[in-house]
Amino acid sequence: VRVALLLQESSESFNFGSGSSGRVDGTSTWDDPTKPVRKVVQTTIDISDAPNGSCSILTINTLDRPGLLVDIVRVLKDVNLNVVSGEVDTIGSQAHDEFFVTYKGEPLTAPMQTLVVNSLNYYLSLNEMATNESY
């Protein structure tokens, strides 16, 4: 399963129909200027089987931020994955994380891969998830 997702604010903020100023920042004259504009975060999640077949390899590439690792581990724990090992790298502002994971001692099945990808995409898209709970 390979998913590349460009997460962005709902299409309402980018609707340049009539009555809109069509400003570059995606706001219009009808938008509340005090409302925070959600940042675009590009996230790539890839899940493959390990060469020895004992586990699955979960690779996440996204914008680094404080608390990112805590958020990833929290999501993996919430879906009952066991992290066998992992490697966490940050290159500039990009985080490249690789985890060897199992579910009940086995590699992830296709439905479980879909659940993991969807869960991570949802929570990583919040981008501010760990601001109050980060270590």
Side-chain angles (χ1 to χ4, degrees):
V1 174
R2 181 162 180 81
V3 176
L5 180 62
L6 186 60
L7 302 165
Q8 48 184 275
E9 187 177 14
S10 68
S11 60
E12 294 171 347
S13 296
F14 298 99
N15 183 1
F16 297 124
S18 63
S20 160
S21 68
R23 296 184 345 203
V24 175
D25 65 358
T27 61
S28 70
T29 55
W30 303 105
D31 290 334
D32 181 358
T34 61
K35 178 182 172 187
V37 177
R38 190 167 185 185
K39 295 179 182 178
V40 175
V41 178
Q42 184 172 358
T43 300
T44 304
I45 299 172
D46 182 48
I47 301 177
S48 60
D49 291 332
N52 65 6
S54 65
C55 60
S56 297
I57 303 170
L58 170 64
T59 306
I60 303 168
N61 291 297
T62 191
L63 185 66
D64 193 25
R65 60 179 169 78
L68 176 64
L69 183 58
V70 172
D71 291 344
I72 291 171
V73 171
R74 182 178 299 129
V75 170
L76 298 180
K77 180 181 174 246
D78 287 348
V79 294
N80 296 316
L81 290 189
N82 179 40
V83 177
V84 177
S85 68
E87 183 177 328
V88 178
D89 294 315
T90 303
I91 302 169
S93 63
Q94 287 297 114
H96 175 81
D97 301 339
E98 187 172 86
F99 301 96
F100 291 79
V101 296
T102 61
Y103 178 68
K104 297 185 178 181
E106 300 290 327
L108 306 184
T109 61
M112 193 63 182
Q113 289 180 9
T114 302
L115 174 67
V116 170
V117 168
N118 290 343
S119 299
L120 285 167
N121 275 326
Y122 175 76
Y123 285 106
L124 294 179
S125 74
L126 296 178
N127 199 24
E128 64 274 346
M129 183 175 154
T131 54
N132 295 331
E133 300 176 24
S134 181
Y135 294 107

